[in-house]
Amino acid sequence: MGCVHGKCCGADDYCCCCCCCWCCGDSSAAGSEGGGGGAADVAPCGVVLHNDGSLLGQRRQVLLGAPLGSAAVPSHHFRLVYSSLSQRGHYPESPDRENQDCLCIRTRLQDNPNLHFFGVFDGHGQFGAQCAAFVRDRLVDILSADTRLLDSPAEAYASTFLATNTELHDSSIDDTMSGTTAITVLVSGDTLYVANVGDSRAVAGVWNGSAVVAEDLSCDQTPFRKDEYERVKQCGARVLSVDQVEGVKDPNIQHWGNEENDDGDPPRLWVPNGMYPGTAFTRSVGDSTAESIGVIAEPEVKVLKIASHHLFFVIASDGVFEFLSSQAVVDMVSKFEDPRDACSAVVSESYKNWLEHESRTDDITIIVVHIKDLSHVDSTLRHDPSEVMVFFKQAAKLPKLLRG
């Protein structure tokens, strides 16, 4: 949802060895500005290089999304198969507005075949694209250089976010009223470490024996959350909707409901005696002005042990989740064997939903990661034949694309 002051500015595609990092500029196909936002309007950007610098993938056609990537996790004998896609927002009054979302996929951190990083960064404010690109580049580098990463990954994550925030403040980028959210997943062997700052989201697709259900791996940091609301209030923030600030609604009565039903006017953060910055999130990287009222760069880190029932995970900007629930996204992803097609489907549906509700769309970015070749029989089942039979009867109900 971002900042009330809007989004602008962008950056060129960025590529590096052992990493597919790119800040997507205009990823719309020609003529899509006035279109309905279907899959045919979505075109990926970016190229990916092998560790030795040889070309892995070029720009692909619409329905295939970005290049298909694969990373082994030899310590636990499974592999990750992934793809990504970013769609520039549709802004009728600013047709040349650039995409402020960017993403990073870097495998083999610290040259360790069992360490892989995925992240989505959603910039906001006048220099949001520059902020997102800066954080995309520096956060993974700082994290990779942290000697605590293997032994204390959660501690390394928290330190990395704060260090990146300080570097952004000290950089040539004006982040007084600009910044970025960040949702990142570190795969370390059979464990996921999910670090979140802001209102983008990570969610896993989990097989429960009869269906694929959504398991949120992060919790949106917005004033809708009571704990975040109370924290920023204690830091001096006024928490009001735009209608309340402008006097349309009583500022002394909390009019907003929940995040799924905010009528397009969510609670935002304002300084005590001014009508800024108007952020709809309570944590971010950058936003030095908003720091004075409690907008912090400290991430919430969730740890998840990967098990046989974890089929895939999704990382996406709030452009996806504004009108789609976590379960709706998981339902769509589970229909596709190829994560490229899953990305295209989710982006297309998100774009369509935006235009059904508003005259514009947000930037929309997604990474889909399938967990493949993980044993579907836990060691506890191997000693009980009856339990094994029950397991395989349940597994037979699983969509074919997710059995591998």
Side-chain angles (χ1 to χ4, degrees):
M1 194 168 295
C3 176
V4 74
H5 299 289
K7 304 178 179 180
C8 58
C9 303
D12 296 330
D13 292 356
Y14 170 88
C15 310
C16 66
C17 298
C18 189
C19 178
C20 54
C21 283
W22 56 92
C23 182
C24 300
D26 184 355
S27 61
S28 304
S32 67
E33 283 284 313
D41 293 328
V42 182
C45 60
V47 297
V48 184
L49 304 179
H50 285 294
N51 289 343
D52 62 2
S54 60
L55 187 65
L56 174 63
Q58 295 268 10
R59 295 171 185 263
R60 300 186 60 87
Q61 294 302 313
V62 169
L63 291 179
L64 295 180
L68 187 66
S70 180
V73 184
S75 64
H76 290 81
H77 312 292
F78 68 89
R79 60 191 173 96
L80 307 171
V81 179
Y82 53 84
S83 190
S84 59
L85 185 60
S86 188
Q87 168 70 49
R88 180 174 63 86
H90 171 63
Y91 298 96
E93 296 180 358
S94 304
D96 298 325
R97 196 172 185 166
E98 296 181 87
N99 192 345
Q100 291 187 303
D101 283 3
C102 61
L103 62 92
C104 176
I105 300 171
R106 183 176 293 186
T107 59
R108 298 178 61 98
L109 264 65
Q110 300 183 344
D111 201 29
N112 186 327
N114 303 301
L115 277 177
H116 310 297
F117 177 89
F118 303 85
V120 168
F121 308 91
D122 182 356
H124 51 264
Q126 182 178 359
F127 304 107
Q130 290 95 322
C131 290
F134 181 95
V135 174
R136 171 203 65 196
D137 296 342
R138 290 300 299 142
L139 191 142
V140 68
D141 284 344
I142 296 172
L143 183 65
S144 184
D146 197 312
T147 57
R148 298 167 295 178
L149 186 56
L150 282 177
D151 297 329
S152 303
E155 182 181 342
Y157 242 147
S159 175
T160 292
F161 269 79
L162 296 177
T164 304
N165 189 54
T166 298
E167 285 196 9
L168 179 56
H169 290 341
D170 294 339
S171 74
S172 60
I173 301 170
D174 181 358
D175 72 344
T176 53
M177 298 286 285
S178 299
T180 184
T181 64
I183 178 70
T184 67
V185 175
L186 176 71
V187 181
S188 179
D190 66 344
T191 306
L192 300 184
Y193 295 90
V194 184
N196 180 46
V197 165
D199 54 1
S200 294
R201 191 179 303 174
V203 58
V206 182
W207 177 246
N208 71 356
S210 59
V212 183
V213 297
E215 178 182 351
D216 283 324
L217 303 180
S218 63
C219 185
D220 299 356
Q221 295 152 351
T222 73
F224 284 110
R225 278 177 49 178
K226 184 177 180 181
D227 58 340
E228 289 291 281
Y229 172 86
E230 294 295 341
R231 184 181 61 78
V232 296
K233 287 279 287 184
Q234 291 177 4
C235 293
R238 291 188 299 151
V239 183
L240 303 166
S241 68
V242 171
D243 279 351
Q244 288 176 307
V245 169
E246 294 179 344
V248 177
K249 294 181 178 178
D250 190 339
N252 297 312
I253 300 176
Q254 185 172 315
H255 294 276
W256 59 85
N258 55 50
E259 200 158 359
E260 286 70 37
N261 183 25
D262 62 17
D263 298 324
D265 189 20
R268 296 178 180 272
L269 275 58
W270 314 87
V271 296
N273 299 304
M275 295 183 65
Y276 63 91
T279 62
F281 45 79
T282 55
R283 302 192 189 204
S284 71
V285 183
D287 294 296
S288 58
T289 297
E291 280 189 357
S292 66
I293 53 173
V295 177
I296 58 176
E298 181 179 350
E300 292 181 313
V301 181
K302 179 170 182 176
V303 182
L304 176 72
K305 200 79 166 179
I306 301 174
S308 58
H309 54 274
H310 292 112
L311 306 176
F312 58 82
F313 61 88
V314 176
I315 312 168
S317 64
D318 70 327
V320 167
F321 294 106
E322 181 70 17
F323 298 108
L324 292 176
S325 67
S326 295
Q327 186 61 55
V329 171
V330 164
D331 288 343
M332 278 188 280
V333 171
S334 65
K335 294 177 181 177
F336 297 94
E337 183 173 3
D338 193 322
R340 293 171 294 188
D341 294 334
C343 288
S344 292
V346 173
V347 169
S348 177
E349 184 67 16
S350 301
Y351 195 93
K352 182 185 73 173
N353 283 344
W354 270 95
L355 293 181
E356 288 176 351
H357 291 85
E358 300 189 18
S359 61
R360 59 103 185 179
T361 80
D362 198 357
D363 303 324
I364 301 168
T365 300
I366 185 171
I367 302 174
V368 173
V369 183
H370 283 182
I371 303 171
K372 295 288 190 180
D373 303 331
L374 191 64
S375 172
H376 288 292
V377 182
D378 293 332
S379 60
T380 54
L381 298 181
R382 294 194 183 109
H383 305 292
D384 189 337
S386 63
E387 289 296 320
V388 173
M389 290 303 297
V390 170
F391 180 88
F392 279 111
K393 286 180 180 179
Q394 292 176 336
K397 303 176 186 178
L398 200 65
K400 181 179 178 182
L401 66 99
L402 295 175
R403 293 180 197 164

